[in-house]
Amino acid sequence: MSASTVLKELGIHEVNSGVYAEDWIAAPGGGELVSVNPTTGQPLARVLQANEAEYEQVFHAAQRAFLEWRMVPAPRRGELVRALGDALREKKDLLGSLVTLEMGKIKPEGLGEVQEMIDMCDFAVGQSRMLYGLQMHSERPGHRMFEQWHPLGPVGLITSFNFPIAVWAWNSCLAAICGDSVIWKPSSQTPLTAIAVQKIAAQLCKDHGVPPIFTLCVGKGSTVGERLVSDRRVPLISATASCDMGRRVNRVMADHLGRRALLELGGNNAIIVMDDADLSLANRAVLFGAVGTAGQRCTSTRRVYLHKKIAGEFTERLLSAYKQIRIGDPLEEGTLMGPLVDQAAVDIMLKAIDEVKKEGGEILTGGKRIDRPGYFVEPTIAKVRPEVKILREETFAPLLYLVEVDSLDQAIEYQNGVDQGLSSAIFTRNLQSAETFLSPRGSDCGIANVNIGTSGAEIGGAFGGEKDTGGGRESGSDSWKIYMRRQTCTVNYSNHLPLAQGIKFGD
């Protein structure tokens, strides 16, 4: 399927409005944005961005929609999300292809991203009947005490380029069944996928006769992003971004008491391979974790700690596997790694490789840009000492560091010795090693896996991490709670007015 066919079928034109309030704003005034295909370096289409005045239009549309949507029973809200999942099923191949065209991940991963959206819709439909509140026993006779959950308000959603539409679904599906509306500011590197999804969601709202709970505001970070983050009328900001941006969001929101931040930030993820590990299994996990999505996943594997007894053999196996990686057009069958998202990403990777060399690291394979159109690089493996500074930094690219260790305790110490804490894994056949890794003195990450790599989290578990990763959690058992406000209620059905704690006041 050609790029022009994909764009046409999804309603993407040569020039597109990137702003949806109660309908598409025809000619937003925030300047033009060009979406570029990272495989070729050539433009795909242009997008007209929002300015501050148009952001206000979007906010007020989302606020009006919320005031109506919050009174719709949650199971009925779930019906809209069910319909969204069905619509995504119909458009799965087209949307998956557009993700590949605009972001650069291989087609199977593009399809996987859309499947994740579909799965999230199914998950949220079930959750729409499970927004539970607890009932507690009151210490006062004739009183009933319980908690209930109410919709929160318009949710601000800032998404990144690497999962340009799945992150929208993680948040928007849950926000919708909770009774909230959504203001979406997508990455400026992937605006077309956002517009395509917004068209689907907006049409569904019209077809089902519900208010426009899904809105879109493509715009510059310095304009729309800053306005959204600093808007105290927006009670929750969910942001998937760099650690630096997360700090910025936290600082701004700290001035507005009561607002919430759901932050999914950097992940400098590690795999520990013990001397009793299944090396074939570990090899495959490291390969996908480091090279999948060209190393541009939050959960990509950045560091591997190898027990000295198997370090040599494992390294040889991994180098052999790297020689078989097919790099090329991500739409072509058989391609395992596509391009980085843009020239800036290439520059960051090459700079990191220079730092590795300066710190005495050894480049075992890769390390260069590939001479062809687009933003292609060689997947790179570097052997480094555990104390090098570059290990503490997350380079969003297919750059993998190998470090030798003497013991499990040393490996855990090194793994935890970075500022980020998203995903982690250990490969071992030893039950004690596995349980130690999962114990309080083991991995300090939000995700800890045994004999599974760091990448490829499922929606059934809470996704997120600790430390500089931000502490946020998306999806999973009770993640809906951040999109709602809790209220504790006490009903007196007696003829008396006793006070708590046995306090006596007057007669």
Side-chain angles (χ1 to χ4, degrees):
M1 191 184 304
S2 68
S4 59
T5 299
V6 171
L7 296 174
K8 181 179 178 181
E9 290 294 318
L10 289 172
I12 304 298
H13 309 290
E14 183 178 345
V15 181
N16 306 270
S17 170
V19 189
Y20 187 96
E22 276 143 339
D23 212 327
W24 292 99
I25 295 177
E32 187 176 272
L33 174 65
V34 179
S35 174
V36 173
N37 182 344
T39 301
T40 63
Q42 297 301 309
L44 286 168
R46 293 177 289 161
V47 177
L48 301 180
Q49 304 176 95
N51 57 25
E52 287 209 16
E54 285 138 5
Y55 167 81
E56 284 295 311
Q57 288 182 255
V58 170
F59 168 79
H60 287 295
Q63 175 68 7
R64 286 190 292 271
F66 163 70
L67 295 178
E68 181 179 344
W69 185 242
R70 65 182 177 175
M71 299 308 296
V72 175
R76 282 186 54 201
R77 299 177 204 141
E79 290 303 311
L80 178 70
V81 177
R82 186 194 303 278
L84 175 61
D86 291 340
L88 293 173
R89 286 180 174 90
E90 294 177 8
K91 302 285 188 180
K92 179 177 176 178
D93 190 67
L94 287 167
L95 283 172
S97 297
L98 181 55
V99 169
T100 295
L101 280 169
E102 190 173 38
M103 184 268 154
K105 64 177 63 173
I106 61 174
K107 179 68 177 291
E109 289 189 274
L111 293 173
E113 180 162 354
V114 183
Q115 185 61 49
E116 193 165 355
M117 300 176 75
I118 294 167
D119 294 344
M120 194 66 226
C121 289
D122 291 345
F123 181 83
V125 171
Q127 289 262 270
S128 70
R129 293 181 180 269
M130 297 187 292
L131 306 179
Y132 301 131
L134 295 174
Q135 178 162 308
M136 296 76 74
H137 288 281
S138 173
E139 65 185 67
R140 291 169 284 185
H143 287 60
R144 182 168 70 91
M145 186 165 64
F146 61 95
E147 66 179 22
Q148 59 183 4
W149 296 82
H150 290 309
L152 187 63
V155 171
L157 177 57
I158 300 172
T159 58
S160 63
F161 75 89
N162 59 329
F163 280 84
I165 50 179
V167 175
W168 175 85
W170 296 350
N171 287 271
S172 294
C173 292
L174 289 178
I177 60 110
C178 289
D180 302 330
S181 57
V182 177
I183 302 170
W184 184 14
K185 190 245 177 271
S187 168
S188 295
Q189 293 159 305
T190 51
L192 301 184
T193 50
I195 291 171
V197 168
Q198 179 63 37
K199 285 179 179 288
I200 294 170
Q203 189 59 51
L204 274 174
C205 289
K206 290 181 178 180
D207 293 345
H208 285 254
V210 304
I213 61 169
F214 304 115
T215 65
L216 179 67
C217 204
V218 177
K220 298 176 182 176
S222 58
T223 305
V224 171
E226 289 288 336
R227 186 72 188 91
L228 180 59
V229 169
S230 62
D231 191 345
R232 64 189 311 143
R233 300 168 298 180
V234 179
L236 169 64
I237 297 292
S238 176
T240 301
S242 67
C243 294
D244 285 343
M245 179 182 167
R247 293 186 188 95
R248 169 64 181 159
V249 172
N250 255 352
R251 283 194 296 270
V252 172
M253 296 191 69
D255 288 335
H256 303 156
L257 299 179
R259 297 183 72 204
R260 308 175 190 177
L262 194 169
L263 300 178
E264 296 289 354
L265 311 174
N268 191 358
N269 314 295
I271 291 178
I272 296 171
V273 184
M274 295 302 295
D275 54 339
D276 58 3
D278 181 331
L279 297 188
S280 177
L281 198 66
N283 188 284
R284 294 198 300 273
V286 170
L287 181 68
F288 175 70
V291 176
T293 324
Q296 296 173 115
R297 286 179 175 235
C298 300
T299 53
S300 289
T301 305
R302 313 290 178 196
R303 301 171 289 142
V304 179
Y305 294 102
L306 300 170
H307 194 281
K308 286 185 176 179
K309 291 182 180 178
I310 51 86
E313 180 183 354
F314 184 87
T315 301
E316 288 303 315
R317 288 186 182 215
L318 191 61
L319 288 171
S320 176
Y322 265 56
K323 291 177 183 177
Q324 301 173 49
I325 297 170
R326 181 177 170 185
I327 304 168
D329 187 338
L331 282 172
E332 289 183 4
E333 187 175 351
T335 298
L336 292 181
M337 193 182 99
L340 294 181
V341 70
D342 58 20
Q343 182 59 47
V346 174
D347 293 341
I348 289 170
M349 178 177 174
L350 296 180
K351 181 180 178 182
I353 291 170
D354 286 341
E355 288 298 316
V356 170
K357 293 175 181 177
K358 288 178 184 177
E359 294 192 74
E362 179 185 359
I363 303 299
L364 301 181
T365 188
K368 300 176 183 177
R369 178 172 185 164
I370 297 175
D371 186 15
R372 58 172 292 172
Y375 309 114
F376 291 88
V377 295
E378 296 175 341
T380 302
I381 301 175
K383 183 178 179 180
V384 299
R385 302 184 314 278
E387 66 271 16
V388 298
K389 293 179 181 179
I390 194 72
L391 275 174
R392 298 181 61 84
E393 301 174 13
E394 180 191 33
T395 301
F396 223 57
L399 174 55
L400 181 69
Y401 305 115
L402 303 184
V403 181
E404 293 187 9
V405 295
D406 295 313
S407 66
L408 174 61
D409 285 343
Q410 188 180 63
I412 291 174
E413 178 187 353
Y414 290 160
Q415 179 210 278
N416 293 347
V418 298
D419 294 331
Q420 308 86 357
L422 178 52
S423 188
S424 59
I426 187 172
F427 281 80
T428 180
R429 293 188 180 98
N430 186 299
L431 178 62
Q432 287 183 322
S433 296
E435 290 295 335
T436 297
F437 180 76
L438 299 177
S439 76
R441 71 181 182 92
S443 171
D444 66 358
C445 296
I447 299 170
N449 297 330
V450 177
N451 295 327
I452 302 171
T454 60
S455 243
E458 298 182 39
I459 63 159
F463 181 86
E466 302 301 322
K467 302 187 292 188
D468 278 6
T469 300
R473 293 296 187 275
E474 292 169 316
S475 195
S477 58
D478 64 350
S479 56
W480 58 269
K481 290 181 177 178
I482 198 168
Y483 304 95
M484 304 193 82
R485 58 182 177 88
R486 178 170 14 200
Q487 187 175 72
T488 300
C489 306
T490 305
V491 176
N492 179 3
Y493 58 90
S494 74
N495 295 319
H496 307 285
L497 195 64
L499 299 176
Q501 294 86 44
I503 296 173
K504 303 290 185 182
F505 189 81
D507 296 328

